[in-house]
Amino acid sequence: MSITAAELKLNLGKYLQLAESEDIFITQNGKVVAKLSNPNADRVEMAKSLLGVIPADITLEESRREKGRKCMKALIDTCVIVDVLQNFIV
């Protein structure tokens, strides 16, 4: 939706409510100068896009353990690289 700055000024409350569900572009002298939008909309879209990514047969605890394993492996790999580099410096 696109409205003029004057229209926004006259009906701010109305457009704040509309901005919860859609972006509103504000124009001045025929040019878009601002966008009124819901700051949480991106988070909602991201959450919707992740639905189905985690298999239905995995529990939250299993998911957390798997994430922990991956973090630990990355940490160990980093330590190994640091050890190798220290051997070259000495």
Side-chain angles (χ1 to χ4, degrees):
M1 170 182 288
S2 181
I3 60 169
T4 65
E7 172 66 16
L8 177 65
K9 187 175 179 180
L10 290 173
N11 297 297
L12 180 60
K14 170 186 169 183
Y15 292 110
L16 287 176
Q17 285 183 328
L18 283 173
E20 290 179 2
S21 60
E22 65 181 289
D23 291 341
I24 300 173
F25 296 92
I26 296 103
T27 62
Q28 193 169 38
N29 298 324
K31 295 180 183 178
V32 175
V33 294
K35 178 174 125 178
L36 189 60
S37 63
N38 181 342
N40 297 318
D42 290 338
R43 291 182 185 159
V44 170
E45 289 305 314
M46 184 184 302
K48 286 180 182 176
S49 73
L50 292 175
L51 290 175
V53 172
I54 297 176
D57 61 341
I58 191 170
T59 67
L60 181 59
E61 186 59 35
E62 289 171 328
S63 175
R64 286 182 177 154
R65 268 189 254 128
E66 182 62 27
K67 182 178 179 185
R69 278 190 217 107
K70 287 180 181 178
C71 289
M72 185 59 73
K73 182 180 179 338
L75 181 60
I76 290 169
D77 290 347
T78 302
C79 290
V80 168
I81 292 170
V82 169
D83 287 344
V84 169
L85 290 175
Q86 285 178 342
N87 289 334
F88 282 114
I89 294 172
V90 175

